[in-house]
Amino acid sequence: MKKVSNEWWWATQNKWMYRRRLYGERMYIASLEREFIYIPVSKVANTAIKVAIADALGFPRRVAGFGYPVVPRTVANQVAFLKRRVQRRDPPQFQVHSKHFGWQLLTLPQVAQSRFFRFAFVRNPFERLVSCYYNKVANQHRQRDYSSYFVGVPTTWSFGEFARWALAQAVPDHHYGLQSRYMVHNGKLCADFVGRYESLEADWAKVAGRFELGVLPSMNVSTRALRGPYQSLFDPELRMLANEFYREDLDRFGYDPL
């Protein structure tokens, strides 16, 4: 039997999952009772929003991504890790990111046709790219092994090295790719309300007050105060590359180029 490399396996899984997200995966959370649809965008308080919705709707849950040890990136170790996780899991409780959680999930075409109130939150794309780097690549104190997200990317890479690699990918990872891809169908924005991460508390209050969703829990707290202004991490060449890559998000959501 031909041996399959770990790098190829993880790269295949990531590309498959990303294409599913863009072309018909059921990932949009709907409440039939309260008549709203949440459009998830990674690295924009996504976990906190899902937890707030889950608590408001009465779902028993566990928060994804907390308390799991870092394990080496091998297929055997990952399979063993997942088996242990299942054995420890209380059957009625699942991670909020799990497809088995109990969400009523829709595809993007269904969201486009829905009459429910549809909301999403977006973030400055450059700050989001920086956050992705510090959370998934350079975070030496992380509780999980994120190496499967970016195969072959060493944790010793500088932000500039990572950003140049990331912006050149044919299939960008959903933690830094275009946010508009998840809420635009046939050229039309499918969200009735788009809040901003930069004014998250106030914008979330508008949605939470309308649907009785409660306050957002504090999770994945940003470390940007420790790393300084994100603009300082972009040299002139990288600014040009990033501005071009994020052009659609800049124009659609009103963010300024670098």
Side-chain angles (χ1 to χ4, degrees):
M1 182 177 178
K2 185 178 180 180
K3 185 177 180 181
V4 178
S5 70
N6 297 322
E7 289 76 11
W8 179 89
W9 190 87
W10 282 115
T12 302
Q13 294 302 306
N14 285 340
K15 183 173 293 188
W16 174 76
M17 287 188 290
Y18 187 79
R19 290 186 182 280
R20 285 187 63 195
R21 289 177 68 91
L22 290 184
Y23 304 114
E25 183 187 10
R26 295 182 180 274
M27 58 171 283
Y28 301 88
I29 297 173
S31 171
L32 304 183
E33 178 184 354
R34 305 194 189 189
E35 299 188 348
F36 70 75
I37 297 173
Y38 167 53
I39 301 173
V41 179
S42 300
K43 302 304 297 174
V44 191
N46 186 35
T47 300
I49 292 173
K50 286 183 176 179
V51 167
I53 294 175
D55 289 348
L57 298 183
F59 285 114
R61 50 81 183 170
R62 294 193 339 150
V63 178
F66 292 87
Y68 298 148
V70 173
V71 296
R73 191 190 75 252
T74 66
V75 174
N77 282 350
Q78 291 289 343
V79 170
F81 177 49
L82 292 174
K83 286 182 178 179
R84 291 196 302 271
R85 225 168 69 180
V86 170
Q87 292 170 356
R88 292 198 306 266
R89 180 180 291 164
D90 184 6
Q93 295 185 339
F94 292 91
Q95 303 168 22
V96 292
H97 298 306
S98 171
K99 301 306 178 195
H100 306 289
F101 183 75
W103 300 120
Q104 177 68 42
L105 299 176
L106 305 178
T107 63
L108 183 55
Q110 290 174 320
V111 173
Q113 297 172 6
S114 177
R115 296 183 180 180
F116 285 4
F117 183 82
R118 304 159 299 182
F119 67 90
F121 286 83
V122 297
R123 185 177 189 175
N124 181 297
F126 311 116
E127 173 69 31
R128 184 166 170 260
L129 177 62
V130 172
S131 176
C132 175
Y133 166 75
Y134 278 101
N135 178 243
K136 297 292 188 289
V137 178
N139 185 358
Q140 300 299 319
H141 305 288
R142 57 194 175 192
Q143 293 177 299
R144 297 178 62 194
D145 179 20
Y146 291 111
S147 55
S148 62
Y149 285 112
F150 308 116
V151 177
V153 174
T155 58
T156 55
W157 266 11
S158 67
F159 170 75
E161 291 173 311
F162 168 75
R164 283 176 169 79
W165 172 87
L167 300 180
Q169 296 304 298
V171 183
D173 184 83
H174 61 90
H175 291 93
Y176 69 83
L178 288 175
Q179 299 164 88
S180 54
R181 294 281 181 88
Y182 300 104
M183 61 191 81
V184 174
H185 182 66
N186 291 334
K188 183 179 180 181
L189 184 67
C190 298
D192 302 299
F193 175 78
V194 179
R196 286 195 175 203
Y197 184 85
E198 294 78 15
S199 54
L200 180 61
E201 185 176 349
D203 287 348
W204 173 252
K206 298 174 184 177
V207 175
R210 178 169 178 172
F211 297 105
E212 300 179 352
L213 296 179
V215 298
L216 290 178
S218 178
M219 296 178 177
N220 293 334
V221 178
S222 173
T223 59
R224 58 183 171 183
L226 302 177
R227 60 180 184 252
Y230 68 85
Q231 295 91 337
S232 63
L233 298 173
F234 292 81
D235 60 40
E237 180 189 16
L238 186 54
R239 290 187 178 213
M240 182 179 65
L241 293 173
N243 285 335
E244 183 62 28
F245 183 89
Y246 290 116
R247 179 62 56 194
E248 183 177 352
D249 278 2
L250 298 176
D251 294 341
R252 189 173 292 279
F253 303 125
Y255 286 103
D256 294 327
L258 289 167

